[in-house]
Amino acid sequence: MKVAVTGADGFIGSHLVEALVRAGADVVAMAQYNSVGSWGWLEDLPADVLDGVEVRLGDLRDAGTTSSALAGASVVYHLGALIAVPYSFDAPRSYVETNVLGTQNVLEAVRRESSRLVHTSTSEVYGSALSVPISEDHPLQAQSPYAATKIAADKLVESYVAAYGVRAVTVRPFNTYGPRQSARAFIPAVMAQALAGRTTVRVGSLSPRRDLTFVADTVAAFRAVGELDDDPWNGATFNAGTGSSWSMGHVLHEIARVVGVHLDVDTDAERVRPPAAEVRHLECDASRLRAATGWEARSSLREGLEATRAWMAEPRHFGSYKPDLHQV
């Protein structure tokens, strides 16, 4: 089966491409165009996997390159997006253009092709939890421009299902982490500093709680949804998370144990979100996904951190991180 993945050059997208190829799919990987021809994290895939991938450089904001990349795909996994919450306060228009208009371009392409669409949302659309665990019926609360654009994209998918009969489902992952994640996120930012020998690490707030899902489990959720029978392709939304949450302070302690060091903390004001923008607590209710597909997260936090440390410690991977630079 021919499938297409947008955002294939990114963290989760590259892992999904690898899993789909290993499962026997014919994969078209849409990556962000750049003048040096970089394929992003796709270049980290083994050669035998890349042999099964057709890489197409383009831009979600451009309807032509998007339509061309997705042509002929039976299923489109739409992961392409601008994702960093802090940067969305600096460049909100970019997030509207990529996350909202880009999603519209994807929807028009799948509408013409009669493809099925697996659309990627985010737990950030729920804002700070009003109740936990968070089900798909929890109110949507935009506490950042990023979250607002993802809500808008989700609603666009909903409208294309209702108005045009597009066959689509939405996956809402909760805080995925693991190999290939950029240092804008808490775990790789702290781990990079620890692996570089820093005994005092610069961090933001340590009180927010997150449901941390290892990337292999998130990818398994995407695949499980993408392989559903016809009935659920009616705009259904599925949360994907572990059902447990941890404070960032606890996670920092676990990173120190995994790396084998003692870490002191220096709170960096630049890494602290404005109080009204900070999502305080995210904890997933994935019972709908479990009932529909049998999926459940299998990796413990310790196992996921161990796998992340082993990957990051390899010189060719660690060289892509800048431990002393705050990346938004």
Side-chain angles (χ1 to χ4, degrees):
M1 180 173 66
K2 181 178 180 179
V3 302
V5 179
T6 72
D9 49 336
F11 163 42
I12 302 175
S14 62
H15 284 280
L16 178 58
V17 167
E18 183 172 4
L20 290 168
V21 171
R22 294 196 185 281
D26 180 12
V27 180
V28 175
M30 183 177 178
Q32 177 69 31
Y33 171 80
N34 58 89
S35 61
V36 296
S38 171
W39 291 357
W41 282 121
L42 289 170
E43 296 179 3
D44 194 54
L45 302 187
D48 63 320
V49 173
L50 274 179
D51 287 343
V53 181
E54 178 187 352
V55 180
R56 299 287 297 273
L57 297 181
D59 193 318
L60 288 172
R61 297 170 297 178
D62 181 77
T65 57
T66 300
S67 178
S68 176
L70 306 186
S74 299
V75 179
V76 172
Y77 294 88
H78 175 38
L79 282 76
L82 284 176
I83 58 173
V85 172
Y87 188 60
S88 75
F89 291 96
D90 295 335
R93 184 185 180 100
S94 298
Y95 283 69
V96 172
E97 291 175 350
T98 299
N99 298 352
V100 183
L101 298 180
T103 297
Q104 184 191 25
N105 288 335
V106 170
L107 283 163
E108 285 294 328
V110 300
R111 178 188 173 196
R112 284 192 297 271
E113 297 287 332
S114 297
S115 307
R116 291 182 293 175
L117 173 68
V118 179
H119 167 66
T120 308
S121 182
T122 169
S123 57
E124 286 281 330
V125 302
Y126 295 125
S128 294
L130 302 177
S131 60
V132 292
I134 298 172
S135 75
E136 294 85 355
D137 298 323
H138 187 284
L140 304 182
Q141 307 175 108
Q143 290 180 229
S144 65
Y146 165 67
T149 60
K150 294 301 288 185
I151 291 172
D154 294 355
K155 289 297 182 180
L156 268 176
V157 173
E158 180 182 303
S159 73
Y160 271 66
V161 171
Y164 303 117
V166 167
R167 294 177 295 166
V169 292
T170 294
V171 177
R172 284 199 179 123
F174 277 62
N175 297 97
T176 302
Y177 72 99
R180 304 180 194 148
Q181 188 174 25
S182 71
R184 60 156 196 87
F186 182 86
I187 289 174
V190 172
M191 194 168 285
Q193 293 177 73
L195 290 171
R198 312 294 184 264
T199 56
T200 299
V201 294
R202 291 183 292 174
V203 298
S205 176
L206 295 178
S207 60
R209 300 181 65 88
R210 294 291 185 266
D211 188 324
L212 295 163
T213 311
F214 188 58
V215 65
D217 290 324
T218 298
V219 164
F222 275 103
R223 288 192 56 209
V225 169
E227 295 166 6
L228 283 170
D229 293 332
D230 286 340
D231 289 345
W233 293 88
N234 58 357
T237 297
F238 298 97
N239 287 342
T242 69
S244 299
S245 64
W246 309 97
S247 72
M248 294 300 97
H250 175 82
V251 175
L252 186 146
H253 176 71
E254 289 298 303
I255 292 171
R257 291 182 65 181
V258 164
V259 177
V261 297
H262 172 79
L263 295 176
D264 292 318
V265 170
D266 177 16
T267 301
D268 182 352
E270 289 187 356
R271 300 172 190 251
V272 178
R273 290 193 202 178
E278 181 64 84
V279 174
R280 306 304 308 176
H281 191 181
L282 292 172
E283 186 173 317
C284 179
D285 176 358
S287 56
R288 182 183 294 179
L289 177 60
R290 188 162 50 250
T293 68
W295 176 91
E296 61 181 353
R298 299 187 180 278
S299 301
S300 69
L301 179 61
R302 176 64 66 86
E303 291 168 338
L305 290 176
E306 289 279 8
T308 304
R309 182 207 58 78
W311 181 87
M312 285 187 67
E314 293 185 27
R316 68 190 182 98
H317 297 145
F318 188 73
S320 64
Y321 289 89
K322 300 177 177 65
D324 297 318
L325 177 67
H326 171 42
Q327 184 173 325
V328 298

